[in-house]
Amino acid sequence: MITPNILPLVDRLAGRRVMIVGDVMLDHYTFGTVTRISPEAPVPVLQVSDEQYRLGGAGNVARNIVALGGQALIIGVIGSDQDGHVLTGLLKDAGVQTDLVQDDRRRTTRKTRIIAQNQQIVRVDREHTETLSKAVVGALLEKVAAHAQTHDIVVVSDYGKGVVTRALMDALRALTGPSRVRPRILVDPKPVNYDLYKDVDILTPNAKEASEGAGRSATGPDGPLPAAAELFKRLNCAQLLITLGAQGMALFEGPEKARLIPTFARKVFDVTGAGDTVIATLALALAAGADLLSAAVLANHAAGIVVAQVGAATASVEALREAINKNPDMHIEELRALA
Ligand SMILES: Nc1ncnc2c1ncn2[C@@H]1O[C@H](COP(=O)(O)OP(=O)(O)OP(=O)(O)O)[C@@H](O)[C@H]1O
Ligand SMILES: [Mg+2]
């Protein structure tokens, strides 16, 4: 089929609003070199040369939206700690609007990656993933309701740290947005929480998450169709976008209407955060009034830009334009169930 002309869409992204609700995280990187083994235990000794803090989880989705000229508002939970302070500072610096709940009884989620000679040697997680208190959930719901009037598009970025609950999803489904209809709800799912996502608009699992939710493989000989059919049955969602790594993405506008959007051959440096780029770009394009296929093709270009960079990167409007001009046409294939 003919590739939609998405170049004009790129210019319409500026200033569009997206609300992101989910698990914000602080990504902490410790870089260094290892030259010897410790005398204390059979472990390497890292000589630290650099440390960096970056936005992770839902914060990375927000950062991707801002990089494309959009307005991102993020609602989530941090602790009353130094990491919460650092995280809030990073969000402000990135130009993300925040309305975060501070929970004295939790710590801010932080993932530390220790990297020696460009190789990750260990990851250290500091987090609380227990159920949030009633008071914190109530505060989250109030914030969501307060911003509903100005947002047509809501992204749920679920990393399983506790923000996404049945109460939150029920509240989102009951919202009325600026156009007097429910804002569109896009979910990047965490498999343990699948049952919370009933009746949402769009789900964006990767192949593994889709397979887990469906109870059957999304990468078997029949492709993603059988898994998608199960997910539609289980969730009653309106649309589904299964990301397939180097194979691109499969867009389902219903259980029977499926298309495969391919990627272009490129040098891949780091696929970290590609899923965040996909849902961020998709959401912003929809906020700009794009049709779903155009939004998905744009998201595929944006993800392609990001995987060619080191670290959880973002795509800019300029880079998107360049990528589209370079590959304006792609072979979008209709997927059909094998009889
Ligand atoms: N090797 C690759 N070459 C080109 N594009 C890629 C490659 N890997 C990923 N992508 C792009 O990124 C998108 C998302 O990738 P993927 O399915 O790996 O998501 P993900 O597993 O959620 O990523 P992550 O969890 O690391 O953020 C793909 O649909 C594709 O557009
Ligand atoms: Mg992902």
Side-chain angles (χ1 to χ4, degrees):
M1 68 169 295
I2 297 167
T3 312
N5 176 16
I6 52 170
L7 212 45
L9 173 59
V10 175
D11 295 317
R12 299 212 312 266
L13 302 177
R16 306 292 177 167
R17 295 167 191 267
V18 176
M19 182 198 298
I20 302 138
V21 189
D23 298 302
V24 290
M25 301 193 247
L26 187 59
D27 279 346
H28 175 215
Y29 292 84
T30 301
F31 300 98
T33 46
V34 169
T35 49
R36 63 192 179 102
I37 299 297
S38 170
E40 299 163 19
V43 295
V45 176
L46 184 84
Q47 194 68 36
V48 176
S49 56
D50 190 22
E51 270 191 275
Q52 282 177 21
Y53 288 97
R54 297 181 199 153
L55 291 170
N60 192 41
V61 178
R63 194 172 73 104
N64 272 275
I65 287 170
V66 175
L68 291 171
Q71 280 191 49
L73 164 75
I74 194 158
I75 298 174
V77 179
I78 55 170
S80 311
D81 48 17
Q82 180 59 21
D83 285 349
H85 189 70
V86 174
L87 184 51
T88 312
L90 285 177
L91 286 166
K92 293 247 150 71
D93 290 348
V96 176
Q97 290 174 43
T98 56
D99 202 354
L100 302 172
V101 179
Q102 220 180 59
D103 184 348
D104 298 337
R105 298 199 304 207
R106 279 166 81 90
R107 57 166 308 146
T108 302
T109 303
R110 187 220 288 204
K111 296 190 175 187
T112 300
R113 280 126 179 147
I114 301 191
I115 297 165
Q117 284 102 327
N118 297 321
Q119 170 103 30
Q120 188 176 144
I121 51 176
V122 66
R123 196 177 89 187
V124 184
D125 288 0
R126 297 166 174 92
E127 62 186 21
H128 289 163
T129 53
E130 303 86 69
T131 315
L132 294 171
S133 69
K134 275 215 171 88
V136 170
V137 173
L140 276 171
L141 301 193
E142 267 176 36
K143 290 183 187 298
V144 166
H147 295 285
Q149 276 310 309
T150 48
H151 292 84
D152 280 316
I153 305 284
V154 178
V155 168
V156 176
S157 179
D158 191 359
Y159 279 86
K161 307 302 177 200
V163 165
V164 181
T165 56
R166 189 168 298 278
L168 176 84
M169 293 308 299
D170 284 344
L172 291 178
R173 282 182 288 251
L175 287 179
T176 310
S179 341
R180 289 168 193 268
V181 291
R182 186 180 96 174
R184 248 155 126 176
I185 306 171
L186 283 67
V187 180
D188 195 357
K190 181 82 186 172
V192 290
N193 284 341
Y194 262 106
D195 286 327
L196 304 181
Y197 313 134
K198 291 220 169 78
D199 300 320
V200 302
D201 295 279
I202 308 173
L203 211 73
T204 65
N206 62 19
K208 183 165 177 275
E209 291 154 353
S211 306
E212 286 175 28
R216 59 192 299 174
S217 174
T219 51
D222 298 338
L225 276 156
E230 286 301 321
L231 284 176
F232 275 110
K233 232 188 281 169
R234 180 168 177 191
L235 301 177
N236 190 39
C237 53
Q239 292 134 349
L240 187 61
L241 182 71
I242 303 180
T243 62
L244 302 167
Q247 268 72 55
M249 42 180 67
L251 176 64
F252 294 82
E253 292 186 70
E256 251 101 71
K257 193 172 181 197
R259 289 168 190 155
L260 191 68
I261 304 169
T263 56
F264 300 101
R266 59 172 75 243
K267 255 208 175 112
V268 171
F269 281 101
D270 194 344
V271 297
T272 315
D276 294 337
T277 303
V278 168
I279 198 164
T281 312
L282 191 74
L284 189 60
L286 293 175
D291 61 90
L292 188 62
L293 177 64
S294 299
V297 171
L298 194 73
N300 197 50
H301 276 294
I305 293 166
V306 160
V307 298
Q309 300 175 49
V310 181
T314 55
S316 66
V317 167
E318 260 322 298
L320 255 185
R321 248 191 230 116
E322 206 175 292
I324 297 165
N325 280 327
K326 202 165 148 203
N327 288 300
D329 295 309
M330 49 176 76
H331 181 67
I332 300 175
E333 186 191 339
E334 308 251 344
L335 294 177
R336 268 177 226 294
L338 301 175

